[in-house]
């Protein structure tokens, strides 16, 4: 009887460890609309394997750009964010359009999901950052990751933005050094 109880408890815990995950994505500019997206365990295992195959922090960032794009594409299967185009001008007021606040918030949530599932070995997630690099350009927000120091100290290293705002839904995110991004760097700048 005890053996059956232990087996049942083990199966229940295994089921909890492999449950689908819910993430709230926002759109509509300024997170006006918030919707829950469900990521299946199979899909999350797929992106986790991709990330854990990285042999360095630089390779993890390359893979992370692709994974964030994929997570957005899957979210677009469940919400109107599949309509989102890079930047703010190409959306033409469609449902599902996202500004940098929507992207920085949602991307940070996706990064935290990956971090909580042990998919990030070389980076940790930080709070979003804002840049104001010139008076003629409005503020711009982005999600941020930081390299993890390999040493015993556990200190952080270099910071990078993970900026999905620049690209159409489902495309790889743009990852740049935070300092360069703060000065106005981007894929077309």
């Amino acid at each position: 009887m005890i053996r059956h109880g232990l087996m049942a408890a083990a199966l229940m815990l295994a089921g909890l460890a492999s449950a689908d995950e819910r993430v709230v994505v926002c759109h509509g500019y300024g997170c006006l609309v918030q919707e829950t997206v469900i990521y299946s365990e199979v899909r999350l295992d797929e992106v986790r394997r991709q990330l854990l195959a990285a042999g360095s922090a630089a390779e993890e960032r390359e893979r992370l750009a692709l994974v964030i794009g994929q997570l957005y594409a899957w979210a677009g299967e469940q919400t109107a964010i599949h309509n989102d185009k890079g930047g703010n001008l190409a959306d033409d007021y469609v449902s599902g359009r996202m500004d940098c606040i929507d992207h920085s918030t949602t991307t940070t949530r996706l990064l935290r999901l990956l971090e909580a599932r042990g998919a990030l070995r070389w980076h940790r997630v930080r709070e979003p950052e804002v840049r104001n690099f010139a008076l003629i350009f409005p503020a711009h927000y982005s999600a941020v990751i930081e390299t993890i120091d390999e040493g015993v100290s556990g200190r952080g290293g270099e910071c990078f933005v993970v900026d999905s705002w620049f690209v159409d839904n489902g495309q790889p995110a743009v990852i740049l050094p935070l300092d360069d991004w703060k000065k106005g760097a981007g894929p077309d700048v």
Side-chain angles (χ1 to χ4, degrees), residues 56-73:
S56 67
E59 187 179 353
E60 185 171 82
R61 287 190 299 277
E62 290 173 12
R63 291 169 179 265
L64 189 57
L66 298 169
V67 163
I68 292 297
Q70 184 61 67
L71 290 170
Y72 269 100

Side-chain angles (χ1 to χ4, degrees), residues 81-160:
I81 69 168
H82 62 87
N83 292 321
D84 184 53
K85 302 290 184 212
N88 287 346
L89 302 177
D91 291 325
D92 200 27
Y93 299 100
V94 298
S95 176
R97 66 191 175 123
M98 300 174 77
D99 66 3
C100 64
I101 295 170
D102 298 321
H103 276 283
S104 64
T105 302
T106 300
T107 301
T108 299
R109 290 172 180 167
L110 295 172
L111 290 167
R112 293 212 185 276
L113 168 68
L114 295 170
E115 184 177 54
R117 295 178 67 85
L120 300 178
R121 292 186 332 172
W122 304 92
H123 297 88
R124 68 175 140 242
V125 182
R126 292 186 33 165
E127 291 301 311
E129 289 273 349
V130 63
R131 73 177 181 192
N132 290 303
F133 66 94
L135 294 176
I136 59 172
F137 295 106
H140 181 69
Y141 295 83
S142 181
V144 178
I145 55 173
E146 177 181 33
T147 58
I148 298 171
D149 184 1
E150 296 292 316
V152 179
S153 68
R155 292 183 315 212
E158 190 175 4
C159 292
F160 295 85

